[in-house]
Amino acid sequence: MTVQSHIQVNRLSVHYGVGGNLFGKGGVLKAVDDISLEIPRGSFFGLVGESGSGKTTLGRAILKAAPISEGEVYYKDEDVDYDVGKLSKSELKDYRKRTQLIFQDPYAALSPRMTVRDIIAEPLEVMKLTKNRAETDERVREIAAKCRLNLEHLRRFPHAFSGGQRQRISIARALVCQPKFLVADESVAALDVSIQADILNLLKSLQKEMDITFLFISHDLSVVAHTCDVVAVMYLGAIVEMAPSRELFTAPKHPYTKALLSAIPSLDPDDRGKAQKLEGEIPSPLNKPSGCRFHTRCPMAAARCSVDAPVWREHSPSHFTACHFAE
């Protein structure tokens, strides 16, 4: 039996020092604060939350594109077992081949001065994964076809394409080195709804065809419901609930998750106006509330919530949450 490749995160924190200014003293911005999770091989793992909750920073820390302040990230595959925070230069080069990122904005992610062929080929050339130009062109044509790009597209520049086509170019560039783990950071947020569905279906088909593990970052729960096997809900640098997708959407436990789900637009006139409003703004990561970090906006908050931090508990198989009143 082969070892299942996956990402294991143990008590990971990413902190940034912030200097003072005319309006106050500096401090420590805790973008990611003591997170633990495991992403099994071949899964489509969803990470959701409001803007500023730390989703992108967590994804980049796993890829070693953001500094790890505390904790560990382990990458396990059939032939390697890496402690990401302690990679040597040679190990980091190999890790870059195995893990890739799809950026959020398909308009800003592509160089306007390079043809599509050169954009997709760049990872192969930088990592020296092919022996000559002919082999590089063959790999480029192969991955372009899988991403529904034809030979004529390879000769053009990015400005000649729509948003959906540009995102397929970004996906092809990320997949050309045949990675095993892929972080899709809000990869459909800038696209029209009809194009979103097309890109999501493409990602799902590529996942099965190429045996890829996905970390899919989004703030859109309706998109996550369509694609993900397991979903983690993030708030102010921490995960507050995690469960299989179907169970999270049918039986959410945390008040924050319930508020996010209630905000999904519905075509049913009877459901309109029933969204649970969250009062106030998300607190600053520089000055997080004591106790439960959600208590300043929670409709169920009690006195103990401002003092005692809730314990991470398993309520049913694979369904975890951090809330005093999850039952």
Side-chain angles (χ1 to χ4, degrees):
M1 182 177 179
T2 58
V3 177
Q4 295 287 311
S5 72
H6 66 292
I7 297 290
Q8 184 175 333
V9 178
N10 295 331
R11 309 203 69 174
L12 177 69
S13 295
V14 178
H15 299 165
Y16 297 98
V18 178
N21 54 37
L22 294 175
F23 303 100
K25 298 180 179 179
V28 177
L29 191 154
K30 299 181 179 180
V32 174
D33 194 13
D34 197 20
I35 283 181
S36 298
L37 58 85
E38 188 168 334
I39 306 176
R41 177 179 180 178
S43 65
F44 217 107
F45 192 99
L47 185 64
V48 300
E50 292 174 287
S51 297
S53 59
K55 307 184 299 298
T56 295
T57 303
L58 175 58
R60 289 175 179 266
I62 291 174
L63 296 177
K64 200 173 171 57
I68 297 175
S69 303
E70 298 175 5
E72 299 87 26
V73 177
Y74 296 103
Y75 173 88
K76 299 182 181 180
D77 210 333
E78 289 92 342
D79 56 340
V80 297
D81 188 349
Y82 285 149
D83 182 344
V84 175
K86 300 178 181 178
L87 294 175
S88 64
K89 287 186 177 181
S90 61
E91 289 173 336
L92 181 58
K93 288 182 179 179
D94 182 59
Y95 188 62
R96 288 280 181 261
K97 301 173 188 176
R98 298 170 183 267
T99 61
Q100 285 290 312
L101 172 67
I102 301 173
F103 293 94
Q104 175 178 354
D105 188 353
Y107 292 90
L110 306 177
S111 171
R113 300 182 179 181
M114 298 173 67
T115 64
V116 171
R117 181 267 172 202
D118 292 339
I119 289 170
I120 298 175
E122 188 175 26
L124 297 175
E125 295 167 346
V126 170
M127 298 179 188
K128 297 180 172 60
L129 297 177
T130 51
K131 298 177 182 178
N132 50 53
R133 184 181 178 87
E135 185 179 348
T136 300
D137 287 341
E138 182 181 353
R139 290 275 292 273
V140 169
R141 288 193 296 268
E142 179 184 350
I143 197 64
K146 289 182 179 180
C147 295
R148 303 171 193 166
L149 298 167
N150 59 42
L151 292 179
E152 180 60 29
H153 290 151
L154 299 178
R155 303 186 185 98
R156 299 179 186 174
F157 290 86
H159 72 267
F161 297 92
S162 66
Q165 289 172 320
R166 292 190 192 195
Q167 196 59 286
R168 286 201 291 271
I169 296 168
S170 295
I171 293 170
R173 179 179 59 184
L175 293 177
V176 72
C177 57
Q178 299 177 334
K180 292 297 183 182
F181 177 71
L182 204 60
V183 175
D185 184 11
E186 302 274 13
S187 55
V188 297
L191 306 177
D192 294 338
V193 174
S194 59
I195 305 301
Q196 285 185 6
D198 182 60
I199 296 298
L200 291 173
N201 290 332
L202 174 63
L203 292 178
K204 290 293 285 185
S205 64
L206 289 171
Q207 179 206 17
K208 295 178 181 178
E209 182 179 351
M210 301 180 68
D211 189 25
I212 302 172
T213 303
F214 269 90
L215 173 60
F216 187 80
I217 299 171
S218 179
H219 63 268
D220 189 339
L221 280 160
S222 59
V223 169
V224 170
H226 177 72
T227 56
C228 297
D229 309 312
V230 178
V231 180
V233 181
M234 197 166 177
Y235 182 79
L236 205 60
I239 293 177
V240 296
E241 185 164 8
M242 182 167 60
S245 181
R246 182 181 295 273
E247 185 169 348
L248 185 84
F249 281 83
T250 56
K253 299 290 186 183
H254 199 281
Y256 180 60
T257 308
K258 294 177 181 178
L260 293 179
L261 290 174
S262 72
I264 297 177
S266 173
L267 295 177
D268 186 350
D270 294 333
D271 288 339
R272 295 176 185 174
K274 293 183 178 180
Q276 178 183 325
K277 296 181 180 180
L278 293 177
E279 300 295 336
E281 298 292 331
I282 184 170
S284 169
L286 285 169
N287 186 25
K288 294 183 180 180
S290 59
C292 174
R293 64 191 66 208
F294 185 59
H295 82 266
T296 58
R297 304 172 71 195
C298 181
M300 299 174 60
R304 65 178 296 194
C305 298
S306 62
V307 179
D308 300 327
V311 177
W312 184 250
R313 293 177 292 165
E314 185 174 18
H315 297 275
S316 59
S318 301
H319 192 158
F320 299 85
T321 189
C323 178
H324 294 303
F325 305 106
E327 288 77 12

